[in-house]
Amino acid sequence: MAPLPAAAPPRSRPRPLPPLLPPLPLLPPLLLLLLLLAPPPAAAFNLAASRPAAFRGAPGSLFGFAVDFYLPRPRSFSILVGAPKANTSQPNVTQGGAVYYCPWHPDAGACTPIEFDHIGTRTHDFGGNGSEGRDAVEFKSLQWFGATVRAHNNSILACAPLYSWRTVKDEPGRDPVGTCFLSVGNFSKFVEYAPCRSDLNSAAGQGYCQGGFSAEFTQTGRVLLGGPGSYFWQGQVISATQEQIAAADYPEYFIHDVAGQLQTRQAAGNYDDSYMGYSVAVGEFSGDETQDFVAGVPKGNLTYGYVTILNGTNMRSLYNFSGEQMAAYFGYAVAVTDVNSDGLDDLLVGAPLFMERTAEGRVQEVGRVYLYLQHPLGAPPAAPPVPPPAPAMALTGFQEFGRFGSAIAPLGDLDQDGYNDVGIGAPFGAEGRQGLVYVYNGGAGGLHPEPSQVLRGHWAPGHAPDFFGSALRGAKDLDGNGYPGKGLPPRGCPLAR
Ligand SMILES: *[C@@H]1O[C@H](CO)[C@@H](O)[C@H](O)[C@H]1NC(C)=O
Ligand SMILES: *[C@@H]1O[C@H](CO)[C@@H](O)[C@H](O)[C@H]1NC(C)=O
Ligand SMILES: *[C@@H]1O[C@H](CO)[C@@H](O)[C@H](O)[C@H]1NC(C)=O
Ligand SMILES: *[C@@H]1O[C@H](CO)[C@@H](O)[C@H](O)[C@H]1NC(C)=O
Ligand SMILES: *[C@@H]1O[C@H](CO)[C@@H](O)[C@H](O)[C@H]1NC(C)=O
Ligand SMILES: *[C@@H]1O[C@H](CO)[C@@H](O)[C@H](O)[C@H]1NC(C)=O
Ligand SMILES: *[C@@H]1O[C@H](CO)[C@@H](O)[C@H](O)[C@H]1NC(C)=O
Ligand SMILES: *[C@@H]1O[C@H](CO)[C@@H](O)[C@H](O)[C@H]1NC(C)=O
Ligand SMILES: [Ca+2]
Ligand SMILES: [Ca+2]
Ligand SMILES: [Ca+2]
């Protein structure tokens, strides 16, 4: 493992007690359902949002907080649903959170919890007078396991960003380092990946990392994690291959040295409170074959926010994209897809608190999404393609406080016109603060400026879950298999909660 940066010396300025979660609306209360918005069987241009498939979880478990598709094999299609406040069978753990495996069924079927972690709290002998001389060193109650869920091939990554640990130093305290578990080989093996559970504890080190707050797989199955709280909330991104993670997993040790792991380092104190890794995505931006890492830094640069693209081979910064307005949370969400079908990945960035001035001069918070098209420069591979610093277009939200841009999901080519399409969530976009999902179609010039479709949840009166449109995944991976076959949902259907 590459040497970790030394913990920063304590900074002199007094610091207020930090919030555990970065203070933005990622806290959907009560929600019971999630939707698979299935288009009608015949190739149609609109999604039949009137025929959604719904899955239901325990009230209060935040079922649907995170969702993804799971395709361990062609024709074997299911849905993964995170419920970060679900109770589990882990001893002495309250509301540790769970991830459910929901085999696809057109009328929505039963979901079963995945046994990522059956262990309760592990202890360490500090030689003191704790129970039998041992004290708990990790804390899994209210750890938000299942707040992040991602699948790749027959692997699943699920994270608990508020998992805490005490360190094995004989000092009190518990730090929300975060942890993730990886299921490999279609549930045949589970390994833990907790790169922030290190000796660099407290806010000065990786103690408040919240590793797994965001996560993504590259197309080769490499894991990318965001930990927005490391180093006085500078944040960091960390990456390792599944093989490297599995090789380092010794459950009897708390600190695993993952050989070959890549990570960003601590920077100078003026980068504190930036939240790098609040969001992550992957795409090809350097003109080689190894996908690069995209990280949102929504409070960086004096809260203008920026998004950085890091070389997927060595984590060096390749490009930065800056927000245009302070406190708009530019980089709250990031996504990568090729919208203009030129073979080059394009970047989308959400700023859900962006404010615009109305014709009457009033300022209202509507949210905005920026599209950056990647342009080829020179003849590859001699020169890498360089994305322009300015966005090709900006899409602005429609309702005040709708939080347009909280979620951005590549949807694949929904309408089969040769250009990839994108879903954008506005979790408070409809009346009564209910959510909406907008579908924007790709085209030769970028995205069409007007949405082609607006999806809203179809709920029994009084049973609408909050935050519809805040968890959004596209079925882009389904397309590649070319199986609109029996028992599978038709191609291109998005998954929304
Ligand atoms: C989990 O268990 C706790 C304590 O028994 C209870 O208060 C809580 O309501 C349960 N939560 C869910 C989502 O079942
Ligand atoms: C659960 O907690 C109780 C009381 O704190 C303790 O006596 C018991 O040993 C714990 N059980 C396990 C399996 O850790
Ligand atoms: C541990 O022992 C010390 C000295 O015997 C005592 O003061 C302290 O209260 C004990 N702590 C606990 C948690 O029992
Ligand atoms: C997916 O998993 C199968 C079976 O383990 C393996 O043969 C295949 O190479 C994997 N594909 C990718 C892209 O990793
Ligand atoms: C994956 O595991 C599930 C649950 O054990 C099983 O039902 C399914 O058939 C497996 N799928 C494949 C492709 O092996
Ligand atoms: C990315 O890193 C690799 C490995 O260090 C290097 O060969 C390549 O030139 C870098 N790409 C860019 C665009 O800097
Ligand atoms: C992007 O911004 C970060 C933070 O200011 C800086 O360290 C990095 O060098 C920048 N990258 C580029 C390519 O300018
Ligand atoms: C910070 O944001 C401002 C406003 O968008 C921008 O002009 C400036 O270049 C940014 N600075 C850095 C270092 O990114
Ligand atoms: Ca690359
Ligand atoms: Ca493109
Ligand atoms: Ca299209």
Side-chain angles (χ1 to χ4, degrees):
M1 173 179 174
L4 286 166
R11 304 241 157 82
S12 50
R13 77 184 156 102
R15 299 189 58 84
L17 199 63
L20 281 187
L21 280 169
L24 238 225
L26 29 108
L27 308 166
L30 266 183
L31 73 96
L32 307 164
L33 296 151
L34 87 149
L35 279 183
L36 182 67
L37 298 155
F45 280 68
N46 278 344
L47 299 170
S50 56
R51 280 192 56 239
F55 297 88
R56 186 179 295 270
S61 67
L62 302 190
F63 184 85
F65 188 87
V67 290
D68 206 356
F69 296 96
Y70 182 51
L71 284 128
R73 210 167 47 195
R75 295 181 175 274
S76 161
F77 172 83
S78 54
I79 292 164
L80 304 170
V81 183
K85 294 190 109 180
N87 284 317
T88 65
S89 57
Q90 289 159 285
N92 282 359
V93 175
T94 309
Q95 297 194 332
V99 176
Y100 292 85
Y101 168 68
C102 308
W104 162 251
H105 188 275
D107 303 316
C111 300
T112 49
I114 303 169
E115 284 275 310
F116 281 96
D117 177 25
H118 54 85
I119 297 171
T121 290
R122 287 175 290 178
T123 58
H124 178 77
D125 187 354
F126 291 97
N129 50 4
S131 61
E132 298 153 21
R134 298 181 74 86
D135 284 315
V137 287
E138 58 181 0
F139 306 92
K140 298 182 180 178
S141 292
L142 299 171
Q143 65 177 348
W144 287 70
F145 183 75
T148 305
V149 179
R150 287 291 181 258
H152 176 268
N153 204 6
N154 56 15
S155 296
I156 304 168
L157 180 77
C159 302
L162 289 186
Y163 161 92
S164 297
W165 110 286
R166 171 187 158 157
T167 79
V168 289
K169 298 170 186 168
D170 196 3
E171 300 163 354
R174 46 173 83 176
D175 293 345
V177 292
T179 188
C180 299
F181 282 82
L182 196 56
S183 158
V184 296
N186 192 41
F187 312 120
S188 58
K189 189 177 176 200
F190 296 95
V191 296
E192 190 180 14
Y193 184 40
C196 293
R197 190 171 59 208
S198 66
D199 276 328
L200 302 169
N201 59 318
S202 85
Q206 292 178 300
Y208 285 76
C209 171
Q210 299 183 34
F213 190 93
S214 62
E216 199 53 83
F217 281 108
T218 67
Q219 66 191 10
T220 59
R222 171 184 266 283
V223 171
L224 174 66
L225 296 186
S230 287
Y231 314 125
F232 287 122
W233 297 270
Q234 289 182 3
Q236 67 176 153
V237 294
I238 305 174
S239 176
T241 66
Q242 295 180 39
E243 293 73 22
Q244 290 166 347
I245 293 166
D249 187 51
Y250 291 97
E252 57 271 34
Y253 295 99
F254 291 104
I255 298 177
H256 303 153
D257 280 350
V258 177
Q261 175 175 276
L262 301 172
Q263 62 191 321
T264 57
R265 309 283 156 177
Q266 181 166 19
N270 56 323
Y271 290 100
D272 290 1
D273 299 308
S274 293
Y275 293 171
M276 177 189 283
Y278 198 95
S279 58
V280 292
V282 298
E284 183 43 61
F285 294 94
S286 70
D288 60 18
E289 304 281 284
T290 308
Q291 279 193 313
D292 307 303
F293 310 134
V294 179
V297 194
K299 289 187 72 188
N301 187 19
L302 304 170
T303 79
Y304 278 104
Y306 65 97
V307 168
T308 189
I309 298 184
L310 306 166
N311 188 336
T313 333
N314 58 13
M315 283 261 178
R316 293 234 175 82
S317 176
L318 294 172
Y319 309 105
N320 288 330
F321 303 82
S322 185
E324 59 173 319
Q325 186 181 81
M326 287 180 105
Y329 252 86
F330 179 91
Y332 183 91
V334 289
V336 172
T337 184
D338 178 10
V339 295
N340 59 353
S341 222
D342 63 354
L344 298 173
D345 280 338
D346 306 307
L347 171 67
L348 292 129
V349 181
L353 303 190
F354 177 83
M355 298 206 250
E356 69 170 3
R357 195 172 286 278
T358 63
E360 305 85 60
R362 199 170 68 85
V363 169
Q364 60 176 10
E365 182 198 299
V366 286
R368 184 168 265 190
V369 169
Y370 302 82
L371 168 68
Y372 299 85
L373 294 175
Q374 184 175 179
H375 291 299
L377 188 81
V386 175
M393 67 192 304
L395 305 167
T396 304
F398 301 89
Q399 304 86 12
E400 186 163 24
F401 306 126
R403 299 262 160 92
F404 179 85
S406 293
I408 309 172
L411 301 178
D413 185 7
L414 215 54
D415 56 357
Q416 301 287 296
D417 68 345
Y419 297 100
N420 287 327
D421 309 309
V422 173
I424 296 176
F428 300 132
E431 317 74 50
R433 287 170 72 80
Q434 288 191 35
L436 294 174
V437 174
Y438 295 87
V439 177
Y440 286 87
N441 292 119
L447 292 173
H448 292 288
E450 300 301 329
S452 63
Q453 209 179 345
V454 185
L455 309 173
R456 59 181 70 224
H458 281 236
W459 316 104
H463 286 82
D466 292 328
F467 293 82
F468 176 70
S470 61
L472 200 54
R473 293 295 280 171
K476 57 177 173 150
D477 301 320
L478 306 181
D479 287 345
N481 297 313
Y483 290 110
K486 246 188 177 165
L488 282 180
R491 48 171 56 213
C493 54
L495 190 56
R497 187 272 282 130

